[in-house]
Amino acid sequence: MAEYLYKVIVIGDNFVGKSSLLNRYVNNRYVENCKKTIGVDYLLKVIHHDECTLRIQFWDICGQEHTKQLSRSYYKDASACVIVFDLTNKNSFNSIKQWKEEVDNKLGQIPTLILANKFDLIVSPDNPHSSCIDDMDLESLKDSIHATDCYQVFKHGELGFHFQ
């Protein structure tokens, strides 16, 4: 059976939910009060598909400004990147272009997914949050980072971008 190993860096501003998102995907567990990542955290997802095994290393890199230089050393040899932003935090959305430029400068153009997180906070009738972005924001971002497409990944409205 063939085995493949991929390193995926997961980046974005502080408190956008990178660690919670990864815990949910890798461990199928939601942690209500996730601790702030200091430096980097590492999770491994193993996927068995047909005649091969995929081992995906997710490197959850902290978004703190004062650790940015150190954090960039974790980018080395990444196969792909996920940039996460918080739908209720406009600043995290505005930072996407900067994160994408840093990845491109450090690694060249690798496959990158931009993921909108905390959708549950804007659709809940019990929660006063609203989305900080609109269709114009998405089109502007799509053009500025040279994405080829913007689409909904899941039925709940998470966003994705496609790059050539």
Side-chain angles (χ1 to χ4, degrees), residues 33-121:
N33 295 311
C34 221
K35 293 181 182 165
K36 181 168 62 171
T37 303
I38 298 180
V40 67
D41 197 6
Y42 165 88
L43 291 97
L44 179 69
K45 176 79 171 181
V46 179
I47 301 170
H48 302 285
H49 181 69
D50 291 335
E51 296 295 318
C52 71
T53 299
L54 303 174
R55 295 182 187 283
I56 306 170
Q57 298 175 340
F58 288 100
W59 292 59
D60 178 6
I61 301 173
C62 77
Q64 296 169 318
E65 188 67 37
H66 67 277
T67 62
K68 273 192 173 182
Q69 289 299 72
L70 173 64
S71 297
R72 299 313 167 256
S73 64
Y74 300 126
Y75 287 21
K76 187 176 191 277
D77 298 326
S79 304
C81 174
V82 177
I83 302 172
V84 182
F85 75 97
D86 174 351
L87 277 168
T88 66
N89 179 336
K90 183 77 170 189
N91 289 334
S92 73
F93 177 79
N94 291 336
S95 297
I96 294 170
K97 185 177 178 184
Q98 176 188 342
W99 287 107
K100 177 71 170 103
E101 287 172 354
E102 286 182 19
V103 169
D104 289 350
N105 290 338
K106 187 83 173 166
L107 300 170
Q109 290 194 342
I110 62 172
T112 302
L113 175 69
I114 297 171
L115 189 70
N117 200 16
K118 302 188 182 182
F119 184 74
D120 56 317
L121 296 181

